[in-house]
Amino acid sequence: MATDNVAPDEGNNPGGVDKKRRRLLTQGVGVVGAAGAAAMVIPFISSMSPSARAKAAGAPVEVDISKLEPGQRVIVEWRGKPVWVLKRTPALLEGLKAVEGNLRDIESDDSDQPEYAKNDYRSIKPEILVMVGICTHLGCSPSYRPEVAPVDLGDDWQGGFFCPCHGSRFDISGRVYKGVPAPTNLEVPPHQYMAGDTRILIGVDGGRA
Ligand code: FES
């Protein structure tokens, strides 16, 4: 499991250049960490029987969010895909309304998510986002950009995800902007909270609608 943490207001900070560089480095560590975790898992899976291997590859993944700070994201692997678990700040949630006019699929009618995540937050609990971190255009991994109005993304930016491959933009609920190559919002995987609400199980939801 990889973790990154980005100060939500760094784009407004006069010292933003150094912080931005630090953020990029931190994200780099997150990606390397995820790859490292995958590398450790694969030999284990390849030593299993074919049926056990298939089961493990599709098995649910449990995530402990008890120590997740506001603004912080953890990345886990589920079915070979990176899944982000992000704890959004109140400021990030407030920014959702401000960008609605820029979005292509505001109600998520044409996008992929369980019914319980078909809302403005695209989540069960407003502050916790669970999302497949793969761009719906051609499969790159978008960057987590929680800053407000950073120079490279413009004055309208209220925090979200930016895909560096062809410039697709998503708000902090993973809803795609108009006029970018990605056709739909980012995917929300099935998931459910476990007892105590400090753990999330990704990959199952008990058929909850
Ligand atoms: S893969 Fe993300 S914009 Fe093309």
Side-chain angles (χ1 to χ4, degrees):
M1 183 166 69
T3 307
D4 61 13
N5 192 3
V6 183
D9 61 351
E10 73 181 27
N12 290 332
N13 192 307
V17 172
D18 286 339
K19 285 190 173 182
K20 190 177 291 181
R21 185 163 180 274
R22 195 180 317 142
R23 176 179 50 70
L24 288 170
L25 290 170
T26 306
Q27 288 190 331
V29 168
V31 171
V32 169
M40 290 171 63
V41 168
I42 287 166
F44 171 68
I45 289 179
S46 63
S47 68
M48 300 176 181
S49 69
S51 59
R53 201 181 308 149
K55 192 174 172 187
V61 175
E62 187 178 320
V63 185
D64 181 353
I65 60 168
S66 60
K67 295 188 171 56
L68 202 59
E69 301 287 340
Q72 193 175 36
R73 176 183 64 162
V74 296
I75 305 172
V76 297
E77 184 181 345
W78 170 68
R79 294 188 177 176
K81 305 175 189 176
V83 173
W84 305 332
V85 180
L86 167 65
K87 187 166 190 174
R88 291 175 285 198
T89 62
L92 284 171
L93 293 174
E94 279 170 23
L96 287 171
K97 278 280 170 221
V99 298
E100 280 189 346
N102 300 333
L103 305 179
R104 176 180 292 161
D105 185 16
I106 300 173
E107 305 293 337
S108 297
D109 290 331
D110 301 320
S111 300
D112 192 2
Q113 67 279 307
E115 194 60 30
Y116 48 80
K118 193 170 181 291
N119 52 51
D120 288 352
Y121 305 114
R122 303 191 73 235
S123 62
I124 297 172
K125 297 184 180 194
E127 68 273 23
I128 302 293
L129 179 72
V130 179
M131 184 147 282
V132 175
I134 297 178
C135 182
T136 54
H137 180 219
L138 293 176
C140 289
S141 184
S143 304
Y144 173 38
R145 299 294 307 272
E147 322 93 290
V148 172
V151 172
D152 60 331
L153 294 175
D155 291 343
D156 290 347
W157 188 258
Q158 298 292 318
F161 306 98
F162 175 74
C163 184
C165 288
H166 311 99
S168 287
R169 296 169 178 232
F170 305 87
D171 75 358
I172 203 68
S173 289
R175 296 180 298 180
V176 68
Y177 276 57
K178 296 173 185 166
V180 301
T184 58
N185 300 339
L186 298 176
E187 175 190 351
V188 179
H191 61 282
Q192 64 185 37
Y193 284 84
M194 303 176 71
D197 283 2
T198 57
R199 290 176 178 272
I200 297 176
L201 198 57
I202 296 167
V204 293
D205 54 15
R208 178 185 161 180

